[in-house]
């Protein structure tokens, strides 16, 4: 008889512009496991169309620092050199796990290391863009980033790709359907192994 499935932490990282958010939305719709998303907190300004509590919990620097002091973050870092903070709220993860869900975190490579220390059985997946040229095209295509921000994100992208080997899995997102399929397979296989 199969064991009752219990929750797992799933971490997705990859350069800004590698299409992680689109992938994440598709995965939540069609995951082979009960996958819920951890909504991160950030001090960066919302982009047009972003909704507080849905895309991120948008916090002031003061509020972020206050919650950090109170130990509310599972992990938090300044992701770009510009001073904006991003972090995973502990409650987002523990509430999902307690309900037997698989909790999806879309965080940077520093965050993944911190999460792996606390959840050693977390499933880590690094999303690669088809190429750096493709990444640059996507970042510029967004039209939400200043030229400096694009450069900063490309610099960060190279640094992130240099540590991709640390992840249990790597998926190239040059074709959305195929990338979603690969991640579905990873989740299915992980669940099978856990129940074996
Ligand atoms: P963006 O500003 O484009 O929404 O996100 C920039 C980067 O911040 C993303 O590529 C993602 O890796 C990272 N990020 C988002 N949320 C978190 C978080 O909670 N913790 C960490 N460490 N990084 C995050």
């Amino acid at each position: 008889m199969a064991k009752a499935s219990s929750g797992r932490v799933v971490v997705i990282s990859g350069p800004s512009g590698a299409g992680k958010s689109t992938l994440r939305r598709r995965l939540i719709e069609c995951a082979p496991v009960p996958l819920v998303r951890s909504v991160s907190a950030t001090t960066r300004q919302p982009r047009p169309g972003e909704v507080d509590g849905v895309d991120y919990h948008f916090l002031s620097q003061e509020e972020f620092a206050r919650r950090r002091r109170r130990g509310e973050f599972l992990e938090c870092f300044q992701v770009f050199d510009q001073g904006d903070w991003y972090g995973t709220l502990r409650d987002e993860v523990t509430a999902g796990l307690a309900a037997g869900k698989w909790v999806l975190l879309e965080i940077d490579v520093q965050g993944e290391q911190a999460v792996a220390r606390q959840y050693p059985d977390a499933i880590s997946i690094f999303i690669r863009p088809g190429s750096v040229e493709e990444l640059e095209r996507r970042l510029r295509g967004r039209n939400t980033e200043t030229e400096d921000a694009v450069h900063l994100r490309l610099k960060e992208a190279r640094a992130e790709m240099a540590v991709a080997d640390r992840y249990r899995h790597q998926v190239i997102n040059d074709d959305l359907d195929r990338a979603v399929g690969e991640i579905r397979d990873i989740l299915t296989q992980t669940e099978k192994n856990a129940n074996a």
Side-chain angles (χ1 to χ4, degrees):
M1 197 176 77
K3 284 185 234 160
S5 65
S6 55
R8 294 288 288 269
V9 173
V10 183
V11 177
I12 284 192
S13 302
S16 173
K20 297 188 300 288
S21 306
T22 313
L23 255 183
R24 183 242 302 149
R25 277 193 288 273
R26 283 281 301 277
L27 269 175
I28 297 277
E29 281 166 19
C30 69
V33 294
L35 191 67
V36 294
R37 178 179 165 229
S38 154
V39 178
S40 290
T42 184
T43 60
R44 86 149 161 73
Q45 290 299 309
R47 297 192 184 114
E50 284 185 328
V51 177
D52 186 28
V54 175
D55 297 287
Y56 280 104
H57 299 289
F58 291 102
L59 305 182
S60 65
Q61 293 274 356
E62 295 72 28
E63 177 65 7
F64 199 106
R66 193 180 63 79
R67 293 197 185 194
R68 190 172 170 224
R69 279 194 302 274
R70 287 180 17 177
E72 291 185 23
F73 288 105
L74 180 61
E75 59 78 31
C76 63
F77 290 95
Q78 278 174 301
V79 172
F80 302 110
D81 314 338
Q82 279 181 329
D84 279 326
W85 284 85
Y86 293 80
T88 305
L89 290 158
R90 262 177 220 289
D91 284 354
E92 292 271 333
V93 177
T94 52
L97 291 179
K101 306 282 188 195
W102 294 45
V103 185
L104 181 65
L105 277 57
E106 186 194 324
I107 60 180
D108 83 329
V109 295
Q110 312 172 85
E112 184 273 333
Q113 269 195 307
V115 170
R117 280 194 292 273
Q118 298 172 73
Y119 293 97
D121 69 345
I123 301 149
S124 60
I125 306 170
F126 191 90
I127 310 296
R128 286 183 169 275
S131 65
V132 176
E133 292 71 34
E134 167 70 8
L135 189 68
E136 184 163 0
R137 201 180 54 74
R138 283 201 203 164
L139 282 173
R140 291 193 194 285
R142 276 184 188 171
N143 280 330
T144 53
E145 256 55 72
T146 62
E147 190 58 27
D148 278 356
V150 169
H151 278 284
L152 200 59
R153 279 165 189 258
L154 285 173
K155 189 175 139 214
E156 190 72 23
R158 290 193 186 89
E160 294 216 330
M161 287 195 272
V163 298
D165 286 351
R166 243 185 19 218
Y167 285 67
R168 287 195 194 192
H169 307 277
Q170 292 195 35
V171 170
I172 299 177
N173 188 20
D174 54 356
D175 175 324
L176 184 64
D177 287 337
R178 196 183 43 71
V180 171
E182 277 186 36
I183 299 177
R184 282 176 49 96
D185 290 347
I186 290 169
L187 299 179
T188 303
Q189 200 54 51
T190 307
E191 194 187 31
K192 269 198 194 139
N193 293 346
N195 289 332

